[in-house]
Amino acid sequence: MESIATKFGIQNALKILGVQTVNEGTSTGSFHFSNGEIIESYSPVDGQLIGSVKATTKEDYETVMKVATSAFKAWRMVPAPQRGEIVRQFGDKLREKKEALGKLVSYEMGKSYQEGLGEVQEMIDICDFAVGLSRQLHGLTMHSERPGHRMYEQYHPLGVVGIISAFNFPVAVWSWNTALAWICGDVCVWKPSEKTPLCGIACQNIIAEVLKTNNLPEGISCLINGNYIVGEFMTKDSRIPLISATGSTRMGKIVAKEVAGRLGKSLLELGGNNAIIVTPDADIKMTVIGAVFGAVGTAGQRCTSTRRLIIHETIYDKVKHAIVDAYKQLRIGNPLDENNHVGPLIDTHAVKMYKEALDKVVEEGGTILVEGGVFSGKGYESGCYVKPAIAEAKSEYEIVQHETFAPVLYLLKYSESIENAIDIQNNVAQGLSSAIMTNNLREAEQFLSQEGSDCGIANVNIGTSGAEIGGAFGGEKETGGGRESGSDAWKIYMRRQTNTINYTTELPLAQGIKFDL
Ligand code: UN1
């Protein structure tokens, strides 16, 4: 029988992307080398080995840092709009390879092909955004308190930016960081997740081609591979002024401590525990679409996935039945097949966590409304396909307070006023994304006000996932406080300098201090 890889053109996609069977996982652009152990990448779609990548050793890493540091010296002298031109060309290459890269994302990570394409679209969007931004990296001009003085601020490139990304957005998160860092004049060293190393190879090949065509130095984009030990090379390295890390709160706390210990900057995008509040004035049809996509999209493996629905008691049963009914329509299977809504989890460890969460919610007194379970048999050989599940629960349950990276949705009930719903929504350690479904203006505005949602993202009549790149992306509390992609997120990739210039023949001191010699 024809394999999934053959049927869905994976070999062809790998060829277009220049991904080999065995790849050197260390690269400074077009130059590839590696001396480390082999990391094998198995697809959660069918359990087949896709290819392997050689990990980066400490010695390899030192070579990378040498090349990156020297590339930075040249790259920072290229005018920002010309750096933008390189990012524009990168965006064009992504447009050319969108289908191939979207397919690899889907096959290596397990999200639906549509979502794989969506992820590449996010890369294209951030490139467009960064190109425009390359002419807008401006600071302010202030009035000096001293006569004949001019004061202003400017932004300068920072240096080598270290990027640690997660498996769930194996290509887009890298591009949110790199597209901005590059136009800011920085160079990047990227460690993708060891669960999706081939996506990393593919991205590096695309940018390497652009850099080569433009005769730019090696090292503007570097790739390293491996587990947390390789990540530590970067977090401990004072030659890297900024570490941008995406992943679990557990990982983020370690990175934050390490980087802060050497007074570096970190940009953290960590766990979420995202809720949608459903008020008596909600449009039920919209609520169902937003909640179901939020909970089962990417098999519940987005930082922004909907984990909790906080529903008013007067409409609780109605919403519950509508959501449970909608779950009956879900088709779970090969994510490359566009008839399916939900693909596999990333690996069998994630399946274990999913099962434990369902056991735990029952143990704590919850009621299962849509039964979970692991699929087996034909088409499910990888052992990573699970049934999206729903449980009725209470906010104070320990499991509800935690992020489980799987399609498990908790229904919570609130009574009386919107304040109660907001309390439940905010009463978790994480603060990434939140939403309210309502046609009541007062409730919506209250939810968005300073006494409303405490999250980095707060939406009205939209689910919790699927943010656009134009806004700053990230969250508060245990989500880590970082902001990536749009708005003024670029500022973290630069260093700010305040300049005061005296064009007189006197030297007056600020604050009127007298110091006569
Ligand atoms: C993530 O899950 O790490 O808002 C990123 C969203 C996507 C990005 C998610 N644009 O759902």
Side-chain angles (χ1 to χ4, degrees):
M1 218 197 70
E2 202 182 24
S3 71
I4 285 183
T6 311
K7 184 165 174 204
F8 291 92
I10 299 299
Q11 295 315 330
N12 193 37
L14 292 174
K15 203 164 137 208
I16 292 170
L17 299 166
V19 176
Q20 318 285 326
T21 314
V22 181
N23 302 273
E24 303 287 357
T26 312
S27 160
T28 54
S30 52
F31 184 49
H32 297 260
F33 56 102
S34 277
N35 297 301
E37 285 169 13
I38 298 265
I39 304 168
E40 290 183 322
S41 178
Y42 290 89
S43 168
V45 175
D46 56 6
Q48 296 299 307
L49 180 68
I50 319 172
S52 66
V53 170
K54 280 201 233 153
T56 304
T57 61
K58 185 77 200 306
E59 208 186 338
D60 294 340
Y61 174 77
E62 285 304 321
T63 310
V64 165
M65 282 306 293
K66 226 174 269 152
V67 179
T69 309
S70 122
F72 172 60
K73 293 203 171 114
W75 185 236
R76 69 182 171 184
M77 299 312 290
V78 175
Q82 286 181 32
R83 299 194 294 250
E85 165 58 17
I86 302 304
V87 172
R88 189 192 65 74
Q89 292 179 28
F90 175 50
D92 278 354
K93 275 271 168 297
L94 288 168
R95 283 179 170 88
E96 259 172 47
K97 302 194 184 216
K98 183 174 176 184
E99 284 73 25
L101 189 55
K103 214 167 254 189
L104 175 59
V105 167
S106 175
Y107 190 55
E108 191 177 36
M109 183 275 160
K111 65 176 68 176
S112 74
Y113 178 49
Q114 273 307 310
E115 291 185 58
L117 292 175
E119 192 174 338
V120 183
Q121 189 57 47
E122 281 200 46
M123 302 176 84
I124 295 167
D125 293 343
I126 194 70
C127 285
D128 287 354
F129 181 88
V131 175
L133 198 59
S134 69
R135 291 182 186 268
Q136 300 173 74
L137 303 173
H138 28 60
L140 299 172
T141 305
M142 300 85 176
H143 285 263
S144 169
E145 66 189 50
R146 286 168 282 185
H149 283 57
R150 188 165 71 80
M151 187 156 66
Y152 77 116
E153 64 185 12
Q154 49 177 341
Y155 286 87
H156 289 310
L158 202 57
V160 181
V161 172
I163 303 162
I164 299 172
S165 64
F167 76 85
N168 65 334
F169 273 77
V171 295
V173 171
W174 168 71
S175 71
W176 296 350
N177 283 281
T178 49
L180 295 191
W182 286 329
I183 60 115
C184 290
D186 302 324
V187 301
C188 299
V189 178
W190 176 31
K191 188 193 94 59
S193 163
E194 61 269 40
K195 295 174 185 178
T196 50
L198 298 174
C199 284
I201 300 283
C203 289
Q204 178 71 359
N205 287 346
I206 296 171
I207 185 64
E209 197 185 324
V210 175
L211 296 174
K212 194 161 176 208
T213 312
N214 289 276
N215 269 324
L216 284 163
E218 287 286 321
I220 291 171
S221 178
C222 301
L223 180 74
I224 58 175
N225 266 286
N227 59 14
Y228 71 97
I229 295 170
V230 175
E232 266 177 20
F233 296 163
M234 288 202 286
T235 55
K236 289 180 193 293
D237 192 340
S238 52
R239 291 169 294 183
I240 302 190
L242 171 67
I243 296 282
S244 170
T246 305
S248 66
T249 294
R250 208 188 119 266
M251 175 280 291
K253 283 182 178 169
I254 299 168
V255 169
K257 213 166 149 186
E258 203 68 74
V259 177
R262 60 173 175 85
L263 301 182
K265 292 202 276 186
S266 47
L267 192 178
L268 301 172
E269 209 268 275
L270 313 173
N273 193 347
N274 318 299
I276 302 180
I277 296 174
V278 189
T279 80
D281 292 304
D283 179 316
I284 304 291
K285 203 169 149 223
M286 282 165 66
T287 301
V288 170
I289 299 171
V292 176
F293 178 72
V296 311
T298 327
Q301 298 172 108
R302 290 192 188 209
C303 309
T304 52
S305 290
T306 308
R307 314 259 172 236
R308 302 175 293 148
L309 278 192
I310 305 167
I311 310 165
H312 194 264
E313 58 185 359
T314 54
I315 51 156
Y316 184 84
D317 286 335
K318 195 168 161 196
V319 174
K320 174 169 105 176
H321 291 134
I323 302 260
V324 169
D325 267 357
Y327 267 53
K328 291 183 189 142
Q329 322 292 318
L330 292 176
R331 283 184 298 272
I332 298 114
N334 172 13
L336 288 157
D337 178 344
E338 296 199 50
N339 290 314
N340 291 325
H341 301 104
V342 185
L345 290 178
I346 186 68
D347 55 21
T348 48
H349 176 71
V351 173
K352 186 169 163 270
M353 303 304 285
Y354 153 88
K355 287 205 288 201
E356 279 175 18
L358 289 175
D359 289 347
K360 191 90 202 294
V361 71
V362 172
E363 216 173 273
E364 291 193 78
T367 311
I368 300 287
L369 295 176
V370 174
E371 205 65 58
V374 184
F375 288 91
S376 59
K378 201 169 158 316
Y380 302 114
E381 288 86 353
S382 68
C384 298
Y385 290 85
V386 301
K387 291 184 191 149
I390 304 180
E392 258 173 337
K394 293 224 162 64
S395 173
E396 58 273 19
Y397 292 176
E398 217 221 302
I399 192 67
V400 175
Q401 294 287 322
H402 279 95
E403 177 188 48
T404 302
F405 233 47
V408 177
L409 179 65
Y410 302 115
L411 302 196
L412 313 172
K413 200 184 278 182
Y414 80 95
S415 48
E416 296 164 36
S417 66
I418 185 70
E419 285 86 357
N420 292 333
I422 293 171
D423 274 352
I424 297 172
Q425 133 72 33
N426 289 347
N427 189 26
V428 290
Q430 311 82 352
L432 180 53
S433 185
S434 60
I436 189 169
M437 302 303 287
T438 187
N439 285 323
N440 181 322
L441 180 72
R442 287 193 184 130
E443 286 181 338
E445 289 292 338
Q446 209 171 331
F447 173 74
L448 300 175
S449 77
Q450 62 273 36
E451 57 175 357
S453 163
D454 62 3
C455 291
I457 297 169
N459 297 331
V460 176
N461 291 333
I462 296 178
T464 57
S465 66
E468 301 174 19
I469 62 92
F473 182 87
E476 302 300 324
K477 303 194 290 186
E478 285 199 352
T479 302
R483 292 296 186 278
E484 286 173 319
S485 85
S487 185
D488 64 353
W490 61 272
K491 287 185 176 169
I492 195 160
Y493 302 93
M494 303 199 85
R495 61 184 169 87
R496 186 199 311 233
Q497 187 174 67
T498 303
N499 305 117
T500 311
I501 300 145
N502 176 3
Y503 58 91
T504 70
T505 53
E506 306 293 319
L507 191 61
L509 300 176
Q511 296 87 43
I513 292 174
K514 293 270 171 275
F515 187 76
D516 294 326
L517 289 175

